[in-house]
């Protein structure tokens, strides 16, 4: 940075460093080169995806494993619109993401004269998926706006935010000295709410806990609370691994009939940090998910408490503080262990029986992968392995299992999402679970993995098309069409990018390849749907 007169771009880089940002994902363009002024001399590494959608998904994967916002630099117009899909997935799954884009020069905004990359109202378009979208017009406001962006991402339910900077504003002088990260204090539950929750618990005999992604950073507290309550803990997709290996753990989907029955037979259900969304709780869209009258719901977002199931007690609070405050004064509701472990064990057995042999085979393979690579993070797209795991998988730790098959449900997530996860936790191996169809959405990100030497094994689950969609069409008596896109020679594509690869036809060969191949690598499991 030039000390005499830093530009907005230089000041922005300095502020991001002060905010603890160590990685930015983006593709530079003529409308954003000023954002890059000073980046090369900073401590921030820049990762170049092959598409801006990949930048967003990388930022998402990075944020999930680190708990810190993923940051993107994208160009005006198509750069931002390409990123919107990733922003929508982040919004659906409550993932903090900061997207900084260019926009046309201030004097041209809203004129519709056909300038390069022009949109009618770019900030408004971003606001359809962002928690907050802002146009920076005064360089003096840069620190305040960036601080507000971090505050929005950390003070409530996380999600993507967007700041756009006109091309003429990027070049103006700015001052980074006044920037300070906001000190956001997580919200404690109100004392009357804690008393009411304790009363509900004290009167219950068969409680159950349902946890969502909002609890993923509070695993120790969740475990202590579950033990004190002696309650089985059912985890939605993004909460898998919070109770890893615990006798009270039930890593099964609330979409399963037996899980629903257990919840409704409980005389108290505590829903912690979950939106109770259909993609977790009603995967088959049969409308059968209900909860008992004695529902205590805790969520950081006030508006979320008013959506979906109507609770007997709604508590707006940070999940960690709720658990800590409850445990700090637990004498009034804690009781000796009784049958919690037995109830959890029985439900795990029922869930396994309900899932069926086909999915159980896929689930067994997932567990074999973790046996071979105990520290691995599994990042998925919409494919058979992922569908099965979302129904039931015992992840080894929090944030070690996540995918895009819930929430917004986009294809093309796993490859860039896995790269982002590997960069966020470089010591942990990452396995990207990809269908042969969905992989082709972001196949070029193999090049990005090579560029940054990401610790990723790309597992292409090749069943020659969109098998789940084909099955659904047949079940609805529709002649399947459009479900057999041809796949490339994945090994040849990997070789073109300089990645080692292996084509396997058995589980044993797959596990061997995962152990043997250097990273990044590609493994194609052919005829996978029949295994």
């Amino acid at each position: 940075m030039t000390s005499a007169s830093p530009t907005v771009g230089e000041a922005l880089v300095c502020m991001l460093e002060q905010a603890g940002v160590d990685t930015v994902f983006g593709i530079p363009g003529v409308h954003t080169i000023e954002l890059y002024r000073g980046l090369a001399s900073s401590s921030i590494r820049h990762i170049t995806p092959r598409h801006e959608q990949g930048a967003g998904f990388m930022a998402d994967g990075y944020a999930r494993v680190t708990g810190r916002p993923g940051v993107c630099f994208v160009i005006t117009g198509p750069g931002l619109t390409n990123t919107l899909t990733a922003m929508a997935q982040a919004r659906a799954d409550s993932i903090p993401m900061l997207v900084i884009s260019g926009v046309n020069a201030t004097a041209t905004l809203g004129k519709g004269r056909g300038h390069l990359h022009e949109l009618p109202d770019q900030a408004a378009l971003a606001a359809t998926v962002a928690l907050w979208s802002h146009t920076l017009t005064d360089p003096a406001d840069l620190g305040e706006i960036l601080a507000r962006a971090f505050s929005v991402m950390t003070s409530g339910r996380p999600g993507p935010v967007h700041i756009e900077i006109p091309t003429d504003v990027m070049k103006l002088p700015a001052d980074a000295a006044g920037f300070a990260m906001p000190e956001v204090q997580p919200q404690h539950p109100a004392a009357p709410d804690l008393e009411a929750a304790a009363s509900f618990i004290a009167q219950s005999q068969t409680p159950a806990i349902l946890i969502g992604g909002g609890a993923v950073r509070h695993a120790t507290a969740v475990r202590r609370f579950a033990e004190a309550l002696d309650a089985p803990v059912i985890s939605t997709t993004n909460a898998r691994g919070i109770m890893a290996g615990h006798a009270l753990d039930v890593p099964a989907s609330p979409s399963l009939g037996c899980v629903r029955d257990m919840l409704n037979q409980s005389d108290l259900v505590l829903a912690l940090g979950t939106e109770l969304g259909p993609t977790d709780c009603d995967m088959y869209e049969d409308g059968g998910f209900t909860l008992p009258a004695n529902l205590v719901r805790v969520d950081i977002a006030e508006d979320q408490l008013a959506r979906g199931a109507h609770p007997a007690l709604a508590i707006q609070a940070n999940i960690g503080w709720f658990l800590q405050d409850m445990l700090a004064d637990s004498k009034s509701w804690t009781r000796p262990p009784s049958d919690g472990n037995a109830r959890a064990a029985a439900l795990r057995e029922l869930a396994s029986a309900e899932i069926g042999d086909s999915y159980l085979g896929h689930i067994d393979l997932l567990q074999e992968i973790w046996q071979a690579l105990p520290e691995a993070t599994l990042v998925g797209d919409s494919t058979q392995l992922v569908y099965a795991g979302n129904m039931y998988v015992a992840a080894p730790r929090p944030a070690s299992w996540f995918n895009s098959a819930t929430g917004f449900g986009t294809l093309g997530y796993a490859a860039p999402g896995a790269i982002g996860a590997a960069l966020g936790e470089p010591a942990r191996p990452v396995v990207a679970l990809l269908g042969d169809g969905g992989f082709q959405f972001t196949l070029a990100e193999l090049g990005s993995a090579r560029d940054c030497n990401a610790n990723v094994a790309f597992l292409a689950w090749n069943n020659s098309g969109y098998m789940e969609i084909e099955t659904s069409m047949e079940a609805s008596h529709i002649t399947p069409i459009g479900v057999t896109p041809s796949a490339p020679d994945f090994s040849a594509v990997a070789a073109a990018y300089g990645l080692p690869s292996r084509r396997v036809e058995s589980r044993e060969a797959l596990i061997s390849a995962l152990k043997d191949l250097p990273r990044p690598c590609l493994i194609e499991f052919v005829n996978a749907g029949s295994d």
Side-chain angles (χ1 to χ4, degrees), residues 17-28:
E17 283 186 297
Q18 293 178 56
V21 173
D22 60 16
T23 306
V24 166
F25 304 93
I27 302 175

Side-chain angles (χ1 to χ4, degrees), residues 9-55:
E10 290 175 302
L12 173 64
V13 170
C14 181
M15 291 177 187
L16 290 175
E17 283 186 297
Q18 293 178 56
V21 173
D22 60 16
T23 306
V24 166
F25 304 93
I27 302 175
V30 293
H31 280 188
T32 55
I33 56 173
E34 284 296 332
L35 294 182
Y36 284 75
R37 190 180 295 278
L39 190 61
S41 60
S42 77
S43 61
I44 299 173
R45 62 181 168 180
H46 182 273
I47 303 298
T48 306
R50 298 306 186 262
H51 190 279
E52 289 92 355
Q53 179 175 276

Side-chain angles (χ1 to χ4, degrees), residues 188-432:
H188 281 267
D193 288 337
L194 291 170
E195 293 172 5
S199 178
F200 272 102
I201 294 171
Q203 296 175 52
S204 69
Q205 297 298 317
T206 55
I209 301 171
L210 178 59
I211 54 173
V216 76
R217 303 295 165 192
H218 310 292
T220 300
V222 170
R223 286 168 169 254
R224 289 180 56 210
F225 183 69
E227 290 166 354
L229 192 59
D230 190 36
V233 181
I234 298 157
S235 54
T236 63
T237 296
N238 288 327
R240 298 288 167 79
I242 290 177
M243 293 289 292
H246 200 287
L248 292 170
D249 184 27
V250 183
S253 171
S255 295
L256 292 169
C258 62
V259 176
R260 293 175 172 184
D261 289 343
M262 184 268 196
L263 289 170
N264 278 288
Q265 290 163 9
S266 301
D267 61 8
L268 174 66
V269 172
L270 294 105
L272 309 179
T274 170
E275 66 177 358
L276 303 176
T279 56
D280 274 315
C281 302
D282 194 15
M283 191 179 298
Y284 298 115
E285 298 184 343
D286 59 14
F289 178 72
T290 60
L291 288 169
N294 274 5
L295 169 65
V296 174
R297 192 171 180 188
V298 185
D299 201 281
I300 192 63
E302 183 179 15
D303 57 347
Q304 196 61 46
L305 291 168
R307 298 187 180 116
H310 181 70
L313 175 62
I315 301 175
Q316 183 187 6
N318 172 274
I319 299 300
W321 279 125
F322 169 78
L323 296 171
Q324 181 172 313
D325 290 350
M326 288 293 294
L327 289 165
D329 186 19
S330 60
K331 292 181 180 179
S332 63
W333 56 267
T334 305
R335 60 179 180 277
S338 56
D339 64 346
N341 289 355
R343 291 170 63 211
L347 185 53
R348 291 194 297 268
E349 185 174 346
L350 288 171
S352 295
E354 183 178 335
I355 285 170
D357 291 342
S358 177
Y359 268 13
L360 282 178
H362 298 333
I363 293 166
D364 287 344
L365 177 56
L366 294 171
Q367 302 299 165
E368 287 180 37
I369 291 173
W370 268 314
Q371 288 171 12
L373 304 172
E375 294 299 312
T377 299
L378 272 55
V379 181
D381 234 312
S382 292
T383 192
Q384 286 181 317
L385 273 179
V386 170
Y387 297 141
N390 283 350
M391 295 305 289
Y392 189 109
V393 74
R397 66 182 191 284
S400 61
W401 170 265
F402 56 88
N403 56 77
S404 63
T406 61
F408 194 55
T410 180
L411 282 171
Y413 173 85
I419 294 170
L423 292 170
E425 291 186 321
R428 295 189 188 277
V430 179
V431 180

Side-chain angles (χ1 to χ4, degrees), residues 475-494:
S476 298
H477 308 291
I478 297 170
T479 301
I481 190 170
V483 293
T484 55
S486 59
D489 182 331
F490 286 109
S491 293
V493 174

Side-chain angles (χ1 to χ4, degrees), residues 108 119 124 168 190 276 311 326 328 346 374 376 379 439 451 477 498:
T108 73
L119 284 166
D168 56 321
L276 303 176
M326 288 293 294
V379 181
F439 195 1
D451 288 347
H477 308 291

